[in-house]
């Protein structure tokens, strides 16, 4: 695997291999076994948006793998003053062994990979959040034992998380259902692809989508970069919430995931969040383990 730009680029086998390696690395780490598989390697981490989990988990991942991570705020880089991504990619390729980038436009990530000569990992764009969804898949596998055949339901804004969950869910054989208001649907091409390649449904009705779900997922109504639309989003998405009524429709042993940060009493009630905090924070922890697997797959010799 050269890059991780979006889950659509990976086969089912590649996804399952990442999850298996993540499980192995997680087990080893907890048993106190070091695995310096990226000794002497440096990852540059470019951030055009805020981050807690992605920044910290990638930095710790590189450290635990025997390598080093550099935090590069886009505001301080020349890229923030208009230096083209094509040139930035070629320069950074002369210093670094890999790049993790969080930005707005998916094309910037694709260009970074096309012009640079080192692995590029997408740490979130407006279009996709592949590392998060790999962590979600790992968490689901840990709780349910398998992915194939499970019903994965996403409630809320058809954003980067929805897009990546559709691809990750369908590729791993899950039944994916999405509930979102009209005008806030996930990417149109992905919806078409999902319908052609697996069990997929899109509805405006949360209860229809959540019926008998094994996994319920939600995310903020307003993503980073959408702040100007906050008022209209709060209005349109106000009924798209994981709450007790929705939990009653899902399977009794359904798990709840949230990529975080969460806005309690908006997309999820505080009660449901706290009742499912174990799963949600296991999911956050799994960012570390899954990203170590991704880094090894992309950057190890
Ligand atoms: N879930 C996630 O990507 O969190 P951060 O924005 O804190 O990195
Ligand atoms: N959809 C959210 C996810 C944050 C991790 C955003 O893009 O802001």
């Amino acid at each position: 695997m050269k890059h991780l730009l979006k889950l659509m680029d990976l086969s089912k086998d590649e996804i399952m291999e990442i999850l298996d390696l993540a499980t192995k690395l997680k087990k080893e780490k907890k048993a106190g076994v070091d695995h310096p598989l990226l000794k002497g390697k440096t990852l540059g981490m470019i951030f055009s948006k805020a981050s807690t989990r992605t920044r910290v988990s990638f930095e710790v991942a590189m450290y635990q793998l025997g390598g080093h991570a550099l935090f590069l705020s886009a505001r301080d880089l020349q890229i923030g003053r208009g230096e083209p991504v094509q040139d930035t990619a070629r320069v950074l390729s002369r210093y670094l062994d890999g790049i993790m980038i969080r930005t707005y436009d998916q094309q910037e990530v694709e260009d970074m990979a096309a012009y640079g000569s080192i692995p590029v990992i997408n740490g979130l764009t407006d279009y996709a959040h592949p590392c998060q969804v790999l962590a979600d898949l790992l968490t689901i596998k840990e709780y349910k034992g398998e992915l194939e055949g499970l019903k994965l339901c996403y409630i809320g804004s058809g954003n980067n998380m929805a897009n990546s969950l559709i691809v990750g869910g369908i590729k791993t054989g899950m039944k994916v259902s999405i509930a979102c208001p009209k005008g806030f649907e996930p990417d149109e091409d992905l919806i078409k692809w999902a319908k052609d390649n697996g069990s997929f449904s899109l509805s405006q009705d949360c209860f229809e989508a959540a019926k008998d779900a094994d996994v319920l997922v939600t995310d903020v109504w307003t993503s980073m970069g959408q702040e100007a639309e906050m008022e209209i989003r709060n209005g349109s998405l106000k009924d798209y919430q994981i709450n007790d009524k929705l939990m009653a429709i899902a399977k009794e042993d359904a798990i709840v995931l949230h990529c975080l940060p969460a806005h309690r009493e908006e997309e999820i009630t505080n009660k449901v969040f706290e009742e499912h905090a174990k799963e949600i924070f296991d999911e956050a922890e799994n960012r570390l383990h899954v990203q170590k697997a991704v880094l090894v797959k992309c950057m190890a010799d």
Side-chain angles (χ1 to χ4, degrees):
M1 193 171 114
K2 176 82 200 275
H3 306 288
L4 175 57
L5 309 180
K6 53 188 180 301
L7 292 180
M8 193 57 103
D9 299 337
L10 304 187
S11 66
K12 177 182 183 179
D13 284 352
E14 283 174 313
I15 293 175
M16 297 317 285
E17 278 171 27
I18 291 169
L19 302 187
D20 288 347
L21 179 58
T23 303
K24 179 176 174 280
L25 294 173
K26 181 173 180 176
K27 231 182 252 167
E28 282 179 10
K29 185 68 198 157
K30 290 195 189 278
V33 179
D34 284 338
H35 31 235
L37 299 162
L38 297 182
K39 192 166 186 299
K41 305 230 173 183
T42 305
L43 176 78
M45 309 188 300
I46 303 174
F47 283 92
S48 298
K49 293 175 175 171
S51 171
T52 297
R53 281 142 288 269
T54 305
R55 177 182 174 177
V56 176
S57 56
F58 264 106
E59 190 159 339
V60 171
M62 280 307 288
Y63 175 75
Q64 289 185 3
L65 289 166
H68 179 65
L70 279 180
F71 172 72
L72 304 166
S73 164
R75 254 193 328 210
D76 302 327
L77 293 175
Q78 296 288 10
I79 206 169
R81 294 179 56 245
E83 183 169 15
V85 63
Q86 294 88 334
D87 297 353
T88 305
R90 283 177 283 189
V91 169
L92 293 181
S93 294
R94 303 289 179 113
Y95 306 134
L96 301 168
D97 301 290
I99 294 171
M100 192 287 300
I101 175 165
R102 165 169 287 197
T103 188
Y104 295 87
D105 190 354
Q106 178 71 18
Q107 193 57 47
E108 193 178 334
V109 177
E110 306 275 342
D111 286 347
M112 190 68 84
Y115 285 87
S117 53
I118 56 175
V120 174
I121 298 169
N122 180 348
L124 180 148
T125 61
D126 293 345
Y127 175 72
H129 200 358
C131 293
Q132 180 65 55
V133 169
L134 288 171
D136 293 8
L137 296 176
L138 179 62
T139 311
I140 298 167
K141 201 160 171 279
E142 286 175 348
Y143 275 88
K144 299 290 178 190
E146 57 179 354
L147 300 176
E148 193 89 40
L150 294 178
K151 180 170 175 181
L152 171 73
C153 167
Y154 174 88
I155 302 286
S157 171
N159 59 16
N160 42 14
M161 277 304 296
N163 287 340
S164 292
L165 282 164
I166 291 172
V167 181
I170 294 291
K171 286 209 178 208
T172 56
M174 286 194 270
K175 295 176 266 182
V176 179
S177 64
I178 306 264
C180 62
K182 198 166 161 27
F184 296 89
E185 290 88 359
D187 181 83
E188 207 179 311
D189 293 339
L190 288 183
I191 292 173
K192 191 178 173 316
W193 172 85
K195 284 182 177 158
D196 291 345
N197 286 278
S199 168
F200 177 78
S201 68
L202 177 67
S203 165
Q204 289 169 23
D205 183 338
C206 293
F207 292 93
E208 189 185 312
K211 192 167 173 0
D212 296 326
D214 297 283
V215 186
L216 285 168
V217 194
T218 190
D219 185 18
V220 289
W221 293 338
T222 302
S223 287
M224 291 181 278
Q226 298 175 331
E227 289 80 3
E229 303 168 9
M230 190 180 286
E231 211 170 307
I232 186 154
R233 287 179 162 273
N234 285 347
S236 302
L237 283 143
K238 69 176 173 25
D239 297 325
Y240 291 78
Q241 182 189 64
I242 301 189
N243 51 33
D244 276 343
K245 274 198 217 149
L246 209 66
M247 292 306 299
I249 294 282
K251 283 210 182 125
E252 218 179 303
D253 62 349
I255 63 166
V256 175
L257 299 180
H258 193 308
C259 65
L260 304 174
H263 289 190
R264 288 166 167 81
E265 303 305 329
E266 291 187 8
E267 74 276 4
I268 188 164
T269 58
N270 186 54
K271 180 168 180 286
V272 172
F273 184 97
E274 291 301 337
E275 281 169 1
H276 292 271
K278 170 85 167 66
E279 295 130 47
I280 292 168
F281 292 105
D282 282 346
E283 175 191 11
E285 178 187 331
N286 280 337
R287 291 291 303 276
L288 170 65
H289 307 299
V290 105
Q291 285 159 200
K292 283 167 78 174
V294 169
L295 289 164
V296 169
K297 291 269 180 204
C298 290
M299 286 169 65
D301 297 321

